[in-house]
Amino acid sequence: MSTTPDTVDLEQRLRAALTARADLVRPEDLAPLAPAAPLRPRWSPWVLLATAAAVLLVLGVVLQGLGRDPRSDDVAPRPDEPPVVLPDDVGRHWEADDVSTPARLDLDGDGTDEVVDFLGEPTEDFDGRTRLETTLSSTGEDLYGIAELGTTIGTTALPPVDADGDGDQELVLRYDDPAAGPGGGGHPLVFDLRDGLLVEAVAEEPELLLSGDIPVPGTKTEHYEMVRQQDFWVEDGELWSSRSVNAYARGNMTIVRPLVTVRDAWTWRLTEDGRLEHVDAGCLRHDVMDDARTPCEDGAADDLPDVADVAEESIGLGESATFDDGYAFTARLEAVADPSLVVEGADGRTIDHALDVADPRVLTTQPVGVFADGASVVIASSSDPGYVQVLRQDGGRLRALDPVGEVDLTDDGSHRTWLTPDGTLVTAVAAEDGTWRLWFWQTVSRSEMAALPGAVVCFDDPTDPSTMRRC
Amino acid sequence: MEPSVDITELYAAHRLALVRLAVLLVDDFASAEDVVQDAFAALARRPEAVRDPSKALAYLRISVVNTARSALRRRRTARAYSPPHDVAAPSPEDSAVLAEEHREVIEALHRLAPRQREVLVLRYWSDLSEAEIAKTLDVSRGTVKSTASRALVALEKGMRPTGPRSEGTEQR
């Protein structure tokens, strides 16, 4: 670390001084059974427990599982595990904004709530740190913590938890990931009173304590990637998290998932050394419509997608239909020479689009699952069962969307394609084992559409989607 | 679960050295004993944390360094935001027999930032390598190197607080 003669001299002096100072501690100076010094001036029974632990230690007795109050020795690191970091004392001059709400919780377990103020670090983008400040009701001691919440605006705490079961409460804040895409992203931060400070707990396996659509590595394609849905919440003083058992395709601002999903769930426990460790809480059934979570029954699985019904009504040459759901327009099939589709929009514009298929039929349900920002129709053919085409309005014309990606838009022995009454265009693709993978069509550009994968299902009769069932 | 390490044996073998390490970090014998006691108590509660007995001393050393740092932080907090480097001088019983030339170094050492002091103690008293120091402090080897370099400069300045030192003389 050094080369110059002056430095060598300094190093020698330092070595000598360190040795001399260390040697002042002689073996006979050591207390035979020195108890651990009390580090926090509260709950003296726990200090006694710590003293007892030290005595038993020398006797070679291993203590495990003693519930007691955290002490600073608990923050000592363990190999290969993230250490708890005590907060820096910064930001005493920072200020709270008008839209943040101070938290109220019983940090010291004396039955009286403390009020925790959130002081934001002033930065140009409001992305600085947040200082947590409070005064303990039991001792009058001022204490602080530092949080990185992604933003300093509108800080609001989640309900408090008692993650270590010691009778006092821990503060829970939320980190919002500013870089998260659709589906959001974030994780909770748990702050515990420790060493006279509000110290952030370190989560073991933090990937289980996230919210949002979390990508599955290695699944990204041109048009979608697979994600697992995760969330966290506080319930009855406990911190929970969950992760969907299955992964779902997300792309083009859409996620292909059923309304009811099955999730693995965990509760989170604060250990004596300041770590959050997860406890398996089994399986939960999550209903997105009700935002309700209920324990799984045996054999629980995701709901099947609601695509068993078929929108079969259509018009042929010389007929017309009115489309009221979504963009309003009327459509009629004409055949002066070649067949054409005439669309008259509610804005008075008329589009005449030549069709290149014999015996065309226009389904009277608009494929809003594919395109919903103008007129769109599905064209089939009476004489060609495999023919399926989607037309969408592009300014003053109709444009045929070119199917791209992994699935062909057709209807044959291995590909079953149908439109549901709610406008979802589905193609089921047969696998060699007799199962079928459902694919859901989405517009991916002005001229293209691609299918995103969904559930694997079975059919009693592959020609009849209403016979769809779990495999 | 059977403990992976014999804590009693570790206690007998390493307690003195660890208290000496701690006293160099906190410069207070009573606190140093507490720091080491806490480190062993933590290990006793979670013996499975160290599965490889050969790593037990390294574990305890990490524990001592971090617990010492916490103790110093608490000391500062208790002093109601006193300046971070305003560390108390050694108590009379600690330094009574320490030679003047060493006391000047030790006092300057305790005016350094905690991380700088830790690096110097681990390097020049514990004789750890840069890699071992890096692992102990959970920092990169580059950080160890740069911290040590700055710490030596700061130490030398700290030993002559009133001006340049004349060749061959010491500030008293």
Side-chain angles (χ1 to χ4, degrees), chain A residues 249-269:
Chain A
R250 184 185 68 180
N252 195 37
M253 305 285 288
T254 300
I255 184 167
V256 178
R257 49 150 285 176
L259 296 178
V260 175
T261 58
V262 168
R263 299 181 172 210
D264 293 321
W266 302 276
T267 58
W268 291 80
R269 188 175 72 87

Side-chain angles (χ1 to χ4, degrees), chain B residues 68-157:
Chain B
R69 195 183 304 156
S70 298
L72 290 175
R73 196 186 297 267
R74 282 196 305 278
R75 188 184 289 172
R76 288 201 303 275
T77 302
R79 289 176 183 167
Y81 310 118
S82 59
H85 295 163
D86 184 15
V87 178
S91 59
E93 58 272 26
D94 283 334
S95 56
V97 294
L98 194 62
E100 184 68 18
E101 63 189 42
H102 298 323
R103 187 161 56 202
E104 185 184 35
V105 177
I106 295 300
E107 289 177 357
L109 180 75
H110 284 277
R111 285 192 288 268
L112 299 180
R115 176 60 55 80
Q116 292 179 329
R117 179 166 56 252
E118 291 160 6
V119 168
L120 293 186
V121 169
L122 293 173
R123 176 71 183 92
Y124 295 103
W125 187 76
S126 297
D127 280 331
L128 299 189
S129 67
E130 284 181 357
E132 290 170 323
I133 297 171
K135 188 171 179 60
T136 301
L137 300 181
D138 194 22
V139 297
S140 69
R141 291 180 64 172
T143 298
V144 171
K145 187 185 290 287
S146 60
T147 302
S149 177
R150 286 195 294 269
L152 285 174
V153 171
L155 182 73
E156 187 170 30
K157 287 182 178 175

Side-chain angles (χ1 to χ4, degrees), chain A residues 98-147:
Chain A
D98 294 337
V99 290
S100 292
T101 304
R104 295 179 178 275
L105 71 164
D106 187 6
L107 285 165
D108 55 8
D110 67 346
T112 301
D113 282 353
E114 280 72 40
V115 177
V116 181
D117 292 314
F118 304 122
L119 313 182
E121 181 180 21
T123 66
E124 186 173 339
D125 297 324
F126 304 100
D127 57 355
R129 295 164 292 178
T130 297
R131 179 181 174 96
L132 323 173
E133 273 194 354
T134 192
T135 301
L136 289 184
S137 58
S138 58
T139 64
E141 178 186 4
D142 293 331
L143 51 107
Y144 65 90
I146 297 294

Side-chain angles (χ1 to χ4, degrees), chain A residues 1-2 7 10-11 13-27 29-32 34-37 39 54 57-60 62-64 68 71-80 83 86-89 92 131 144 195 197 272-273 275, chain B residues 1 3 7-8 11 15-16 19-20 23-24 27 29 33-34 37-38 40-42 44-49 59 62-63 66-67 70 73-74 81 94 97-98 101-102 104-106 109 120-121 123-125 127 130 133 138 144 148 152 155-156 159 165 170:
Chain A
M1 292 186 183
S2 56
T7 304
L10 179 62
E11 289 175 322
R13 282 195 68 191
L14 178 57
R15 283 185 194 278
L18 289 170
T19 300
R21 178 67 184 95
D23 288 348
L24 288 182
V25 180
R26 300 163 301 176
D29 294 330
L30 300 179
L39 301 176
L57 162 70
V58 179
L59 297 176
V62 174
L63 300 178
Q64 294 188 75
R68 62 165 185 78
R71 295 168 43 86
S72 71
D73 50 21
D74 298 329
V75 305
R78 298 190 298 154
D80 305 323
L86 298 181
D88 294 328
D89 183 13
R92 275 181 277 167
R131 179 181 174 96
Y144 65 90
D195 297 344
L197 300 167
E272 293 180 351
D273 54 357
R275 290 172 299 112
Chain B
M1 177 185 294
I7 297 172
T8 307
Y11 195 80
R15 182 185 176 207
L16 176 62
V19 170
R20 285 172 168 172
V23 88
L24 294 175
D27 204 31
F29 176 67
E33 275 206 309
D34 286 345
Q37 200 78 9
D38 286 354
F40 275 103
R45 283 192 303 276
R46 297 288 298 273
E48 73 279 6
Y59 168 85
I62 293 172
S63 188
N66 277 12
T67 309
S70 298
R73 196 186 297 267
R74 282 196 305 278
Y81 310 118
D94 283 334
V97 294
L98 194 62
E101 63 189 42
H102 298 323
E104 185 184 35
V105 177
I106 295 300
L109 180 75
L120 293 186
V121 169
R123 176 71 183 92
Y124 295 103
W125 187 76
D127 280 331
E130 284 181 357
I133 297 171
D138 194 22
V144 171
L152 285 174
L155 182 73
E156 187 170 30
M159 289 161 54
R165 188 181 63 184
E170 294 180 354

Side-chain angles (χ1 to χ4, degrees), chain A residues 22 38 159 171 177 183 195 304 308 384 419:
Chain A
L171 174 67
D177 183 358
D195 297 344
L304 290 177
D384 183 359
L419 186 66

Side-chain angles (χ1 to χ4, degrees), chain A residues 13-279:
Chain A
R13 282 195 68 191
L14 178 57
R15 283 185 194 278
L18 289 170
T19 300
R21 178 67 184 95
D23 288 348
L24 288 182
V25 180
R26 300 163 301 176
E28 59 269 30
D29 294 330
L30 300 179
L33 285 176
L39 301 176
R40 294 173 64 183
R42 62 190 183 101
W43 293 306
S44 58
W46 300 123
V47 176
L48 294 176
L49 266 183
T51 303
V55 172
L56 292 171
L57 162 70
V58 179
L59 297 176
V61 177
V62 174
L63 300 178
Q64 294 188 75
L66 273 184
R68 62 165 185 78
D69 198 46
R71 295 168 43 86
S72 71
D73 50 21
D74 298 329
V75 305
R78 298 190 298 154
D80 305 323
E81 290 181 355
V84 171
V85 177
L86 298 181
D88 294 328
D89 183 13
V90 296
R92 275 181 277 167
H93 64 286
W94 299 345
E95 296 180 351
D97 66 28
D98 294 337
V99 290
S100 292
T101 304
R104 295 179 178 275
L105 71 164
D106 187 6
L107 285 165
D108 55 8
D110 67 346
T112 301
D113 282 353
E114 280 72 40
V115 177
V116 181
D117 292 314
F118 304 122
L119 313 182
E121 181 180 21
T123 66
E124 186 173 339
D125 297 324
F126 304 100
D127 57 355
R129 295 164 292 178
T130 297
R131 179 181 174 96
L132 323 173
E133 273 194 354
T134 192
T135 301
L136 289 184
S137 58
S138 58
T139 64
E141 178 186 4
D142 293 331
L143 51 107
Y144 65 90
I146 297 294
E148 295 266 8
L149 305 176
T151 176
T152 57
I153 300 175
T155 303
T156 304
L158 276 70
V161 297
D162 183 8
D164 52 5
D166 65 354
D168 60 28
Q169 293 180 316
E170 289 86 49
L171 174 67
V172 185
L173 300 175
R174 177 189 176 89
Y175 172 82
D176 288 311
D177 183 358
H187 59 265
L189 305 176
V190 176
F191 290 86
D192 180 35
L193 174 58
R194 180 179 294 266
D195 297 344
L197 300 167
L198 285 170
V199 179
E200 182 183 338
V202 178
E204 289 182 339
E205 299 191 58
E207 66 275 11
L208 299 181
L209 194 51
L210 300 172
S211 67
D213 297 337
I214 309 301
V216 177
T219 62
K220 190 171 180 58
T221 70
E222 182 179 0
H223 300 297
Y224 66 87
E225 68 180 335
M226 304 302 291
V227 300
R228 282 197 167 84
Q229 293 202 304
Q230 297 188 217
D231 64 355
F232 63 83
W233 67 99
V234 173
E235 184 176 315
D236 296 331
E238 274 193 303
L239 178 62
W240 288 70
S241 69
S242 75
R243 181 174 66 184
S244 63
V245 172
N246 293 322
Y248 310 105
R250 184 185 68 180
N252 195 37
M253 305 285 288
T254 300
I255 184 167
V256 178
R257 49 150 285 176
L259 296 178
V260 175
T261 58
V262 168
R263 299 181 172 210
D264 293 321
W266 302 276
T267 58
W268 291 80
R269 188 175 72 87
L270 184 63
T271 66
E272 293 180 351
D273 54 357
R275 290 172 299 112
L276 281 173
E277 64 181 18
H278 62 278
V279 178

